[in-house]
Amino acid sequence: MRTSEQINEIAAALAKAQAEVKNPSFNRVNPHFKSKYADLGEVLSAVRPSLSKHGISIMQMTDVTDTGIVLHTRLTHAGGQWIEGVYPVSPMGTHQQMGAALTYAKRQALSAIV
């Protein structure tokens, strides 16, 4: 995890947001594992209102490294402070493979950082 030099404002805002966030509904089924999960849209719907209310925005950006795609998930506070996590996505592949891996990574990384 990486952070801005100070995180007191974003930490306080994130604590308030977390008190309000409800668990997302499991709205999808994974037929391979016969399990239910919340897709990316459901996770975003669960966290965006509370984060936004407390001045926190979500940014998810990709980077290409020697080993493949990496996802950076950053929460940024209106005051400029930020917290960022890095999630390895996948080696390079077809656009469909990378897109599927990226969607999965976005959901996992966002759930973890919030």
Side-chain angles (χ1 to χ4, degrees):
M1 182 175 82
R2 297 178 18 179
T3 68
S4 55
E5 190 172 319
Q6 302 292 320
I7 63 166
N8 58 307
E9 291 178 24
I10 191 169
L14 187 55
K16 290 175 184 174
Q18 286 175 340
E20 298 173 0
V21 171
K22 303 285 186 238
N23 289 333
S25 299
F26 288 0
N27 64 336
R28 295 285 186 252
V29 175
N30 180 331
H32 182 71
F33 292 107
K34 296 182 173 77
S35 61
K36 293 181 179 181
Y37 68 97
D39 68 8
L40 178 59
E42 185 67 19
V43 172
L44 285 166
S45 292
V47 302
R48 270 186 182 151
S50 294
L51 292 177
S52 179
K53 176 181 172 183
H54 296 286
I56 301 172
S57 64
I58 305 164
M59 293 184 277
Q60 292 190 296
M61 303 128 324
T62 57
D63 195 8
V64 177
T65 67
D66 293 340
T67 59
I69 301 170
V70 176
L71 175 69
H72 297 265
T73 298
R74 181 177 282 198
L75 300 182
T76 303
H77 187 261
Q81 296 179 359
W82 53 273
I83 299 170
E84 179 180 275
V86 180
Y87 190 102
V89 178
S90 69
M92 298 301 287
T94 67
H95 289 285
Q96 290 79 13
Q97 291 167 330
M98 291 184 299
L102 185 58
T103 299
Y104 183 89
K106 284 182 172 185
R107 178 170 51 94
Q108 295 296 337
L110 180 57
S111 296
I113 202 166
V114 172

